[in-house]
Amino acid sequence: MSNDQTPAADNPFRPDPGARDAAPQFVLPLVVRIERAAPPPRTDALETAARAVLVMLTDERSVGEGEWARAMRDWQDARIRKVVRRARGAEWRRAEALPGITVTGKSAEVRVFPPVPLDGWPKDLARLQVSGTDLDDPDPVPPTDPAAPVLWLNPALDMSAGKAMAQAGHAAQLAWWRLPDEARAAWHATGFPLTVRTADPAHWPALTTTGLPTVRDAGFTEIAPGSCTVVADHPALR
């Protein structure tokens, strides 16, 4: 079993072909608003994207007999791919007009949409750029709260902001799957507080051997297959 404690045959990030690859493949689209004059800070964008995934997973339209529930089940039966695109101005307004949920951070805005087939993106999302989501933190990032969930990024990997947003979303989702019902309810009730930080290189090896949910990337973009990208450190899982 991998560090995310998902059986190898069902691991949504396992690089070798498995049962999830035989299922029809879907992707969860996320669009981050990046206006030229006021781009969001990188960390705020990563945290907002992770929260957006959790909001989508728990929305009433995504569960039970909700209008998005079938798409959500189909997506989670395959690899839980996520793709982050960027939009500004009229592009953002067109994205907001499509069915989805906009989640806001301190200044970041991320809209998440119900899953779509890999080759079935709505045209107003398909035309958006994936590249160009390189963001910076202009101010020092505050320290983490030991009582709050932290998504730790691998310090050895150089990921674009868009890639890191998708990976943070994966980690939040794996943590959600692993949590007991009581912890899920508490996290949901408080609006999914979390932080995203780059781990200290000296501490990263230990983080990956704690049994906490760990994202192992499938290697479709930017980094090598099987790379550990994020560890989800939720207090209820320690």
Side-chain angles (χ1 to χ4, degrees), residues 21-88:
D21 297 281
Q25 297 295 304
F26 292 78
V27 62
L28 188 78
L30 298 103
V31 175
V32 56
R33 184 178 186 179
I34 303 181
E35 300 290 348
R36 285 192 179 91
R42 179 184 174 96
T43 297
D44 189 20
L46 267 60
E47 293 172 350
T48 305
R51 287 177 47 238
V53 171
L54 295 167
V55 169
M56 174 57 77
L57 286 170
T58 55
D59 189 274
E60 62 182 10
R61 292 164 289 186
S62 297
V63 298
E65 299 302 318
E67 62 186 284
W68 300 338
R70 175 61 184 272
M72 291 293 288
R73 287 193 295 269
D74 289 344
W75 169 61
Q76 293 179 86
D77 284 345
R79 290 185 182 270
I80 53 173
R81 298 185 184 184
K82 301 173 182 70
V83 172
V84 178
R85 296 176 184 256
R86 60 182 172 88
R88 62 171 63 97

Side-chain angles (χ1 to χ4, degrees), residues 40-50 105-108 135-142 144 151 153 161 165 168 194-198:
R42 179 184 174 96
T43 297
D44 189 20
L46 267 60
E47 293 172 350
T48 305
K106 295 180 178 67
S107 63
L135 301 170
D136 297 315
D137 283 310
D139 300 314
V141 177
T144 61
L151 308 180
L153 301 174
M165 289 169 70
L194 56 83
T195 55
V196 178
R197 298 290 186 271
T198 299

